[in-house]
Amino acid sequence: MKLSSEQISEELKNLPGWSVKEEKLHKDFEFGDFNEAFGFMTRAAMHIEKMNHHPEWFNVYNKLTVDLTTHDAGGITENDIGLAKILNSLA
């Protein structure tokens, strides 16, 4: 179920670095080098597959941009919030 703007604002208080951009949860990660960025993506992939909830992400060298939304629900859901928390814990 799609979260309301108020629910999202409340959740963002506990998601350092995340914001809403173009109606998606958004965060830019920066790592020491490509190996660190790729390692993070690999660790994240295991959790992502278990959740069956796949992010939109874009990687260039040590930078990773992540956008989360639930297409079926038409916006941000608890799944997106949960995945953002996992990604923060892995970083």
Side-chain angles (χ1 to χ4, degrees):
M1 175 193 270
K2 182 178 172 181
L3 298 176
S4 69
S5 296
E6 295 79 21
Q7 290 170 309
I8 295 166
S9 293
E10 195 61 34
E11 292 288 354
L12 283 173
K13 293 177 184 176
N14 299 313
L15 288 171
W18 290 88
S19 62
V20 175
K21 184 176 179 181
E22 297 177 17
E23 299 183 38
K24 299 174 185 177
L25 281 183
H26 174 85
K27 184 170 182 177
D28 293 312
F29 291 88
E30 187 168 340
F31 301 92
D33 56 26
F34 177 75
N35 284 334
E36 282 185 29
F38 194 82
F40 171 81
M41 293 172 72
T42 302
R43 289 188 307 279
M46 291 182 273
H47 295 276
I48 290 164
E49 278 298 305
K50 283 181 191 172
M51 291 180 74
N52 192 30
H53 189 61
H54 302 88
E56 298 172 9
W57 60 10
F58 179 76
N59 165 249
V60 175
Y61 186 59
N62 69 331
K63 295 183 173 126
L64 176 65
T65 299
V66 179
D67 290 305
L68 303 176
T69 188
T70 303
H71 296 284
D72 293 347
I76 298 168
T77 67
E78 285 293 336
N79 281 341
D80 302 302
I81 299 296
L83 182 52
K85 288 177 181 177
I86 289 169
L87 295 177
N88 272 5
S89 74
L90 294 173

